[in-house]
Amino acid sequence: MLTPRRTNVLLVAFLAAVLPPLTYRLMPAWFPSSFWLLLGYAAVFAAAALSLNLLMGYAGQISLGHAALLGIGAFTSGLITSKLGQSMAVGIPAAALAGGLVALLVGLPALRLKGLYLAIITLSLGYMMVNSIFRMSIFAGGSAGVEMPRRIAGDLLLNNHADYLAMSLVVLLGIWLVDSNVTRSKLGRAFAAIREDEAVAQAFGINVSRYKLMAFVLSGAIAGLAGALYGHLSFSVSADTFSFEKISLPLVIMVVVGGLGSRVGVAVAAFFFMLFPQLPVLNNLHGWDLVIGAFLLMYTVARHPGGFTEMIAEARDRRRKRALAKAAQPGQDEDIEEKGAIPKLPSLPRPSGLAERPQVAGANLLEVEDVRVAFGGLRAVDGASLEVPRGQIVGLIGPNGAGKSTLFNAISGLVRPDSGVVRFLGQEIQDLAPHARAERGIARTFQNIGLAKSLTVRQNLLLAQHIVAGYNPVQALGFTRKTARVEAELLERADQALAALDFERFAHEPLRNLSHGQQRIVEIGCALVTAPELIMLDEPSAGMSPGAAENLALRLRDLRDELGRTVLLIEHNVPLVLDVCDYIYVLNYGSVLAHGSTAMIARQPEVIGAYFGEEVVA
């Protein structure tokens, strides 16, 4: 059976064996040398565009100075091959290493910056490199630049353009396979979660800082490699070779027009932009390639922000929706908001790859003591305390602005308390990062669906298992035997959850195509897939019809009674809270106004005045 890993190995072996002799024996006779040189530039730009796509398309981190990373790689390999007399087999890997190290330094500010500010940082890096570092004699040979011989060994050079094209295509294939391994492993899913919402990524146990740096380093390493290929293709480079308008801007155009996050689209766009201006009919339009590229960029951003790949995907989604509606039985796919039928939630055993969790000495799974959170002069949480016993459903209610979500965030780690103690499984966790709390066994949902909506339903269930994907990033990049085995286990567990939710028909459907109620059920399923100790639900009935909310109450009781889970619930639906909760805390102006059983809470005058408005029956 051909597994993804075996397919990778066979494809690399076949093309590495076939391409060099094919180019050496046949290609020069087919086309002039200039054509192979042009194809070489297209292959190099495809590699560079893939490196930028990994950063911008996958991880959502903007770079407008990627030319600097290509320049780092080119000058590194140039100095090694020309000044030190070493072969490209030494220079090109060194270029990848240098690109990765510089990208690491650039990525450090990205831990706190995003959007426009990050774009300015990367743009400044490119400007500094081109106008300063790349003109220093000690680093880059001065304004004249450096020679970049295609040295194989000693005086043996690879001057034939067709042969160099073969080598470039083999390297591009390697980059393609590494990129493919990223997208089908936990690396790509983590990048996608960070791109969509960093808070959601942290709730899934993803160390956002670490994965951001990883995206920068990996992108920089590929860019450095592409820069070395570019330099050796040109035989020499100078500071002006890597200006913004020559490298960085075309790369951004290729990635955006080809489709952010689309490997195929970006590679095709790179070849198109390199070959299109050379068509015979366009020989008299030299210099218009950037004008055409700018126009395509503006059109893409205005009409299809995800690029032409998104335009194709949208058409495919429309066809799939029509086919799905046509194939469905009457009433089978009726929205949960209308039908009100919520399927059984998945009951899965504890994952084998999960570390042992400490046992609770007392009866309480979670204890919050005198927690305070302030935003400037606003006290969002003011000395709140609560206890969540194991195996119970505890409600947290209060009027809008009472501090409920802030207290939730303080428990899950998205907000650092100014003071107070959060104790989980008998240990203090108020100083732990959100991903570390997720690893301890805290899962949560969000008021606005906390999932990666660009991923499919199955991919979201795989993403939710990030903390049990027991392989390291290097193993992911090579898609080793261990990676393949772990991914197969994660996929089996995701399919079990899909079957329990009765969502198999939506397995390959992008989450954004599902109704709000269906997305909410998938989110709860994702929270349960790693068998957490505590499930924190933030307004799970928001957007649901009364019938669906009533059915949700049955499922919440199933969580407690059949699955033995502990639930902390924020909810504005008072009948739902009174129906399912064992104990209720009422928050008002950041403080606990009252707490007790449902019957006690419903009868307290201060609670009625602050929240209910009138007496209710439990």
Side-chain angles (χ1 to χ4, degrees):
M1 178 180 178
L2 280 181
T3 63
R5 182 170 174 270
R6 290 176 181 173
T7 302
N8 285 354
V9 173
L10 290 175
L11 188 59
V12 171
F14 175 76
L15 291 181
V18 169
L19 276 176
L22 179 64
T23 55
Y24 177 77
R25 296 173 183 273
L26 299 177
M27 283 188 175
W30 292 348
F31 295 99
S33 176
S34 60
F35 180 77
W36 306 124
L37 181 65
L38 180 61
L39 277 181
Y41 280 116
V44 168
F45 266 88
L50 287 176
S51 76
L52 182 59
N53 182 57
L54 190 149
L55 187 62
M56 289 181 60
Y58 296 166
Q61 307 300 302
I62 298 176
S63 174
L64 297 181
H66 228 58
L69 299 175
L70 270 76
I72 290 292
F75 282 109
T76 298
S77 187
L79 292 173
I80 289 174
T81 54
S82 63
K83 304 295 184 183
L84 302 181
Q86 299 296 315
S87 72
M88 290 187 295
V90 177
I92 292 177
L97 179 61
L101 289 175
V102 172
L104 175 64
L105 298 178
V106 177
L108 289 174
L111 301 181
R112 296 184 177 275
L113 300 176
K114 61 176 69 174
L116 177 62
Y117 299 104
L118 180 57
I120 292 174
I121 289 289
T122 56
L123 188 62
S124 301
L125 171 74
Y127 183 83
M128 177 188 69
M129 288 293 183
V130 169
N131 293 280
S132 179
I133 303 298
F134 289 165
R135 299 183 186 275
M136 294 182 179
S137 299
I138 188 173
F139 293 118
S143 298
V146 297
E147 293 184 358
M148 298 195 63
R150 300 176 186 172
R151 193 182 307 278
I152 299 177
D155 294 330
L156 181 62
L157 303 177
L158 191 68
N159 289 328
N160 185 284
H161 291 326
D163 291 340
Y164 191 82
L165 170 63
M167 187 193 77
S168 301
L169 290 176
V170 171
V171 175
L172 177 61
L173 172 65
I175 294 172
W176 183 280
L177 293 179
V178 168
D179 191 279
S180 174
N181 292 341
V182 167
T183 57
R184 65 186 179 196
S185 68
K186 69 177 183 180
L187 291 183
R189 296 190 293 266
F191 291 158
I194 292 171
R195 179 190 66 218
E196 300 227 2
D197 193 320
E198 292 184 12
V200 171
Q202 293 179 87
F204 281 131
I206 296 169
N207 187 333
V208 170
S209 299
R210 180 187 178 196
Y211 277 88
K212 273 188 177 182
L213 280 178
M214 206 177 300
F216 270 95
V217 170
L218 185 56
S219 176
I222 297 175
L225 192 154
L229 289 177
Y230 181 84
H232 288 294
L233 183 64
S234 305
F235 292 110
S236 67
V237 293
S238 65
D240 294 332
T241 304
F242 300 99
S243 63
F244 174 79
E245 66 275 8
K246 290 181 180 178
I247 303 292
S248 292
L249 179 58
L251 288 179
V252 172
I253 292 174
M254 292 171 190
V255 171
V256 175
V257 172
L260 286 165
S262 171
R263 180 169 52 252
V264 174
V266 167
V268 169
F271 274 88
F272 172 81
F273 277 103
M274 293 306 298
L275 300 179
F276 181 73
Q278 304 303 320
L279 293 176
V281 70
L282 297 176
N283 281 340
N284 296 326
L285 298 179
H286 182 69
W288 284 82
D289 50 333
L290 285 180
V291 176
I292 296 172
F295 172 78
L296 289 175
L297 179 63
M298 290 186 292
Y299 173 82
T300 303
V301 170
R303 298 296 300 272
H304 300 282
F308 283 100
T309 304
E310 182 186 82
M311 181 173 62
I312 296 172
E314 288 174 354
R316 184 174 60 247
D317 285 348
R318 287 193 294 268
R319 290 195 301 269
R320 289 178 61 183
K321 283 182 176 180
R322 288 195 297 267
L324 193 65
K326 188 175 181 180
Q329 298 297 325
Q332 179 186 13
D333 291 322
E334 189 176 352
D335 284 351
I336 288 176
E337 289 91 339
E338 299 174 2
K339 188 177 180 182
I342 297 176
K344 297 279 284 188
L345 297 176
S347 175
L348 300 175
R350 192 170 180 270
S352 58
L354 200 60
E356 289 296 325
R357 292 164 179 161
Q359 298 299 314
V360 185
N364 293 326
L365 189 69
L366 174 71
E367 295 176 345
V368 177
E369 298 178 3
D370 198 28
V371 166
R372 287 178 166 81
V373 179
F375 301 108
L378 173 65
R379 283 281 184 91
V381 179
D382 190 9
S385 300
L386 60 83
E387 296 178 350
V388 180
R390 181 184 288 274
Q392 291 192 13
I393 300 176
V394 175
L396 182 61
I397 64 174
N400 289 328
K404 304 183 298 299
S405 293
T406 303
L407 182 56
F408 243 45
N409 291 337
I411 295 171
S412 61
L414 299 179
V415 169
R416 181 67 63 89
D418 298 318
S419 62
V421 175
V422 179
R423 192 176 293 109
F424 180 68
L425 292 171
Q427 298 181 353
E428 293 187 7
I429 63 170
Q430 66 271 9
D431 294 325
L432 292 182
H435 68 271
R437 303 190 196 197
E439 291 172 354
R440 294 289 182 97
I442 297 178
R444 66 163 295 176
T445 66
F446 291 81
Q447 186 174 354
N448 298 318
I449 306 293
L451 296 172
K453 295 186 179 181
S454 62
L455 300 182
T456 66
V457 174
R458 175 186 271 175
Q459 287 172 330
N460 271 280
L461 286 164
L462 290 171
L463 170 64
Q465 300 178 72
H466 181 86
I467 59 176
V468 297
Y471 55 85
N472 60 47
V474 175
Q475 292 170 326
L477 294 178
F479 212 81
T480 62
R481 182 176 288 104
K482 180 178 181 181
T483 303
R485 175 177 56 79
V486 172
E487 283 294 318
E489 293 172 356
L490 300 182
L491 185 59
E492 180 181 2
R493 193 175 181 87
D495 287 341
Q496 291 174 354
L498 283 169
L501 293 172
D502 192 25
F503 271 28
E504 295 103 321
R505 63 190 182 280
F506 299 130
H508 303 290
E509 196 72 26
L511 190 81
R512 61 175 177 265
N513 291 346
L514 271 60
S515 68
H516 179 86
Q518 290 166 338
Q519 291 182 25
R520 182 67 72 185
I521 295 305
V522 173
E523 184 185 27
I524 297 176
C526 287
L528 291 170
V529 75
T530 55
E533 301 289 343
L534 174 65
I535 303 168
M536 301 171 60
L537 303 177
D538 192 348
E539 298 194 32
S541 73
M544 290 186 178
S545 68
E550 183 178 346
N551 194 257
L552 177 64
L554 297 175
R555 298 297 166 242
L556 293 178
R557 285 196 292 269
D558 289 343
L559 279 179
R560 177 192 61 197
D561 302 334
E562 296 185 14
L563 305 185
R565 300 298 173 208
T566 305
V567 179
L568 180 59
L569 172 71
I570 290 179
E571 186 55 70
H572 281 291
N573 187 326
V574 176
L576 174 64
V577 171
L578 298 178
D579 186 17
V580 303
C581 289
D582 301 293
Y583 203 83
I584 298 176
Y585 287 85
V586 182
L587 211 60
N588 197 31
Y589 296 109
S591 301
V592 175
L593 177 64
H595 60 92
S597 65
T598 55
M600 292 173 56
I601 291 299
R603 289 196 301 266
Q604 291 193 24
E606 62 270 26
V607 175
I608 295 171
Y611 185 62
F612 295 129
E614 59 182 12
E615 188 171 0
V616 297
V617 178

